[in-house]
């Protein structure tokens, strides 16, 4: 088993969810409900815990108090795993939520690399040999142990996770190429005209000393304050040893409401590459989930065991606490926790928010 005690795991969770429209309005993107069972951020945290990592350092800035309070309640409940809150962590060492937080004394971060710089004393704590960087809006189950093991065995300065995808989606990601020996030869963020079907899966392992050196060199210069746009290209240009580690199995970036909706339709079909049974359970975990092929009032849908349904539900995913009124019809939709569908409503191709507002998803959008 890989010794992970000298790995510092950081979770970048600064997203506001603006590209998700009403679904992301007034809500932290990492806390967007997903799959009838959890929130987006829970995948990376669940993966870290299952991999044997004892702690994850949260790097966030938008509505920090809301996010930290939530994660402390959900994840900091046992002795073997916790989320560390950097300069705020001492306030969260008890079981109760703090009455107030220390005053911010550092500037707002302008990008993912800035987040590492401003929290450097926590990222590069004594004994840290490698830094595992994760994001909070990706849907996947993964054991990070083999990635760290391969990184250390190769002696690389950086090892990036990558996956092969359909060429038509490459322009949305960081495109990568490798030579015959597995070393990175090209890294292009969101290319206009992709020439490779390999993309950066947005998690990676840095040699801590090398990462800190590049952050120090870039800080204060003319740069975009971003890991993918600045740090990795700078390391590649300097000839650093960068390797790839292929991700097998399902990995998905949920960046828009269209991709969010499409992923839920796949769940409802029963043919999703990552089924509900393999997802974290953080949204009312005591409530059971089931995929129903054919039952009174429900066809081909993921529903909670507490569903109150007096209508018809088809090809949809419903969260705990959802209620469907008499004569209502819900098709190809996602119904968030506690949402109430009025009697005789006809909802098709939408996301129903907790307060009952309906966000329709455009047909045929490729995003």
């Amino acid at each position: 088993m890989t010794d992970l005690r000298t790995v510092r795991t950081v979770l970048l969770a600064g997203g506001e969810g603006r590209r998700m429209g009403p679904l992301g309005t007034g809500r932290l993107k990492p806390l967007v409900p997903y799959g009838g069972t959890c929130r987006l951020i829970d995948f990376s945290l669940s993966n870290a815990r299952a991999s044997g990592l004892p702690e994850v350092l949260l790097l966030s800035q938008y509505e920090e108090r809301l996010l930290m309070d939530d994660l402390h309640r959900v994840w900091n409940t046992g002795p073997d795993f916790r989320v560390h809150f950097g300069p705020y962590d001492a306030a969260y060492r008890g079981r109760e939520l703090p009455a107030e937080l220390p005053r911010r004394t550092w500037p707002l971060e302008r990008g993912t690399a800035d987040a590492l710089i401003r929290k450097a004393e926590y990222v590069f704590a004594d004994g840290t040999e490698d830094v595992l960087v994760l994001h909070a809006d990706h849907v996947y189950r993964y054991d990070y142990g083999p990635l760290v093991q391969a990184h250390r065995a190769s002696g690389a300065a950086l090892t990036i996770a990558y996956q092969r995808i359909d060429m038509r989606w490459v322009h949305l990601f960081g495109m990568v190429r490798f030579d015959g020996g597995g070393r990175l030869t090209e890294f292009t963020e969101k290319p206009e005209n992709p020439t490779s079907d390999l993309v950066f899966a947005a998690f990676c392992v840095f040699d801590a000393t090398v990462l800190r050196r590049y952050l120090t060199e870039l800080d204060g210069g003319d740069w975009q304050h971003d890991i993918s746009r600045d740090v990795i290209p700078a390391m590649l240009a300097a000839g650093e040893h960068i390797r790839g580690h292929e991700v097998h199995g399902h990995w998905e970036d949920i960046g828009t409401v269209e991709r969010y909706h499409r992923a839920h339709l796949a769940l409802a079909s029963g043919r999703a590459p990552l089924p509900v049974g393999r997802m974290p359970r953080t949204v009312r975990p005591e409530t059971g989930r089931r995929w129903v092929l054919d039952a009174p009032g429900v066809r081909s849908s993921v529903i909670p065991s507490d569903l109150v349904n007096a209508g018809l539900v088809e090809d949809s995913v419903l969260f705990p606490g959802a209620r469907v009124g008499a004569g209502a019809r819900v098709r190809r939709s996602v119904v968030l926790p506690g949402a109430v569908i009025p009697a005789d409503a006809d909802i098709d191709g939408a996301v129903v928010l907790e307060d009952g507002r309906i966000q329709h998803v455009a047909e045929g959008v490729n995003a």
Side-chain angles (χ1 to χ4, degrees), residues 7 12 24 62 69 119 142 146 173 196 254 263-264 268-269 346 355:
V7 176
L12 297 164
Y62 176 68
D69 283 359
K119 308 285 175 47
Y142 194 77
F173 303 95
S196 168
I254 304 295
H264 281 81
S269 74
D346 189 358
D355 61 4

Side-chain angles (χ1 to χ4, degrees), residues 86-122:
Y88 301 115
D89 197 64
Y92 283 94
R93 282 292 171 173
R95 294 301 299 271
E96 300 298 322
L97 297 176
E100 60 182 35
L101 297 180
R103 184 173 60 88
R104 172 184 276 269
T105 58
W106 58 95
L108 290 174
E109 297 86 0
R110 287 175 283 179
T112 55
D114 250 6
L116 296 171
I117 292 171
R118 304 308 165 211
K119 308 285 175 47
E121 65 179 290
Y122 305 99

Side-chain angles (χ1 to χ4, degrees), residues 250-286:
H250 183 66
W251 174 89
E252 188 168 11
D253 180 354
I254 304 295
T256 66
V257 71
E258 290 80 15
R259 292 210 292 274
Y260 178 86
H261 183 252
R262 186 168 58 241
H264 281 81
L265 292 187
L267 278 174
S269 74
R271 296 187 297 271
L274 184 63
V276 173
R278 297 197 62 220
M279 293 185 184
R281 292 201 173 188
T282 55
V283 176
R284 303 187 194 177
E286 73 284 354

Side-chain angles (χ1 to χ4, degrees), residues 192-207:
E192 291 185 10
N193 299 297
T195 57
S196 168
D197 61 353
L198 303 180
V199 299
F200 177 36
F203 59 97
C204 56
V205 186
F206 288 91
D207 177 282

